[in-house]
C-alpha cells in the first residue's frame, strides 16, 4: 500500500507544480494582453524620427512655418513620386521632406502636428518601401490649409 501512497503523493505534488506553473504563465501572459482599453496599432516607423514637440508655436505660427517658403511647393512637386518605388535621388528628396516637416512638428501645436503627420506619412511610407497615394499628400495639405485659414492664418 505504501507504493500506491507514494504514487498518489507524487501525483498530487506533480499536479500542484503543474497548476502553479500554469498560473505563473497566465500572470506573465496578462502582462502582454491588452486590457479593456483600446490598443492603438503601431504605425510604420518613419525613417527620420520627429523630435517631440515643444509647443513653441501656436496654430497660426505653425501654419506660417509650413506654408511660407518653398517647403509646400517642394512637397507638392514630389508628391507623385510616392506612388512608385523611390530611386536614389527621390529617396534623398523624400528624406528631406520628412526631416523638414519633422523640424516644424518639433515646435508645432497639437492641431498642426496631426495635420503635418498626415502630410509626412506618404513620404515616410515611400521611404519604408511602400507605395502611397499622391492624393493623400494633396488632401492633407488642403485640409491643413483650411484649418489654418479658419484659425486666422492669411498666408
Amino acid at each position: 500500500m505504501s507504493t500506491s501512497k507514494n504514487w498518489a503523493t507524487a501525483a498530487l505534488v506533480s499536479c500542484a507544480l503543474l497548476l502553479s506553473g500554469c498560473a505563473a504563465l497566465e500572470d506573465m501572459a496578462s502582462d502582454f494582453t491588452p486590457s479593456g482599453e483600446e490598443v492603438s496599432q503601431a504605425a510604420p516607423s518613419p525613417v527620420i524620427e520627429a523630435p517631440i514637440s515643444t509647443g513653441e508655436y501656436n496654430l497660426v505660427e505653425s501654419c506660417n512655418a509650413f506654408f511660407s517658403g518653398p517647403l509646400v511647393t517642394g512637397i507638392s512637386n514630389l508628391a507623385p513620386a510616392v506612388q512608385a518605388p523611390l530611386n536614389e535621388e527621390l529617396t534623398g528628396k523624400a528624406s528631406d521632406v520628412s526631416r523638414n516637416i519633422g523640424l516644424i512638428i518639433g515646435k508645432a501645436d497639437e492641431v498642426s502636428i496631426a495635420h503635418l503627420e498626415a502630410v509626412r506619412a506618404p513620404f515616410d511610407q515611400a521611404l519604408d518601401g511602400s507605395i502611397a497615394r499622391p492624393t493623400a499628400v494633396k488632401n492633407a495639405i488642403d485640409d491643413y490649409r483650411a484649418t489654418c485659414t479658419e484659425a486666422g492664418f492669411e498666408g
Side-chain angles (χ1 to χ4, degrees), residues 38-96:
E38 185 176 320
V39 177
S40 61
Q41 293 292 328
S45 63
V47 173
I48 299 174
E49 295 292 329
I52 296 172
S53 178
T54 61
E56 183 178 329
Y57 294 160
N58 64 31
L59 177 58
V60 174
E61 292 168 329
S62 297
C63 295
N64 189 50
F66 182 74
F67 287 107
S68 299
L71 182 59
V72 174
T73 302
I75 290 170
S76 297
N77 291 340
L78 189 59
V82 301
Q83 67 186 344
L86 301 176
N87 61 27
E88 190 174 322
E89 178 187 354
L90 294 176
T91 297
K93 288 180 180 183
S95 293
D96 288 344

Side-chain angles (χ1 to χ4, degrees), residues 91-102:
T91 297
K93 288 180 180 183
S95 293
D96 288 344
V97 164
S98 183
R99 186 186 80 245
N100 290 334
I101 293 173

Side-chain angles (χ1 to χ4, degrees), residues 4 14 27 34-35 37 49 70 76 78 86 99 103 109-110 129:
S4 61
S14 296
D27 288 343
S35 62
E37 301 172 15
E49 295 292 329
S76 297
L78 189 59
L86 301 176
R99 186 186 80 245
L103 292 174
D109 63 288
E110 293 296 319

